[in-house]
Amino acid sequence: MRIIWGRSGVRYDIDAQRVTHERLNEEVLIINVVSGAYYSGSGSFADLWSLIAQGASTEDAAAHLSETFGQSAETILPGIRDSIGHLLAKGLIREAPDREAPDGWSLPDLPRAEWQAPSFAEYTDMWDLIQLDPIHEVGEAGWPFAPPEHRT
């Protein structure tokens, strides 16, 4: 897989037609409703995702997270670029060069561990369930069990 690194100064957004997401305290859950894959990340990744959702560029995120975690921007920038590259490659975010920066950034007031490069896990095991129509495609066992002709 070719990783596309976040470009300097470019802001990002989340395509609400393809991706849904929710932050739950220290964790963020992301679902690509087109592919059926879902993603989970916590700590620095949840903070990075929150900043991207607000319109942060790579540099904005590095500056804010360096203050939040008490690390230099140079120390954390490689991990942020790597994570943004993976998010772009998975189609979870897209470049939004015309997006304006907000007046400030907001992160939940939570205790934070030491800085670790942002990372997330990808899960594809729910795709078969997501594809099922819970009203029409049910067998005698009910949902989420597919009728025999839909099992793989």
Side-chain angles (χ1 to χ4, degrees):
M1 167 178 33
R2 181 175 164 252
I3 302 297
I4 305 166
W5 300 105
R7 293 189 308 154
S8 184
V10 174
R11 299 192 183 290
Y12 304 94
D13 70 10
I14 299 161
D15 183 354
Q17 298 296 316
R18 296 174 41 95
V19 176
T20 184
H21 58 100
E22 182 77 29
R23 179 156 185 172
L24 306 166
N25 294 319
E26 295 179 15
E27 183 178 16
V28 67
L29 301 172
I30 306 160
I31 300 173
N32 182 328
V33 296
V34 174
S35 73
Y38 65 101
Y39 306 84
S40 173
S42 59
S44 62
F45 178 78
D47 287 340
L48 175 60
W49 181 265
S50 294
L51 293 172
I52 290 170
Q54 295 172 48
S57 68
T58 304
E59 290 75 19
D60 294 333
H64 191 75
L65 292 175
S66 70
E67 290 177 23
T68 302
F69 285 90
Q71 298 288 320
S72 72
E74 294 78 25
T75 299
I76 67 173
L77 192 55
I80 291 171
R81 284 189 176 139
D82 188 47
S83 230
I84 287 175
H86 283 91
L87 292 168
L88 286 165
K90 296 290 182 186
L92 299 174
I93 62 172
R94 61 186 176 193
E95 290 186 356
D98 297 330
R99 187 171 184 182
E100 296 292 322
D103 292 332
W105 310 108
S106 174
L107 291 176
D109 186 19
L110 299 168
R112 289 184 167 74
E114 289 185 30
W115 170 259
Q116 291 186 359
S119 65
F120 59 95
E122 176 181 27
Y123 304 93
T124 58
D125 55 340
M126 295 292 290
W127 180 236
D128 290 336
L129 294 178
I130 290 172
Q131 287 183 5
L132 292 177
D133 180 340
I135 296 174
H136 303 293
E137 296 183 314
V138 295
E140 291 179 24
W143 193 82
F145 301 100
E149 64 270 10
H150 291 278
R151 291 187 180 152
T152 56

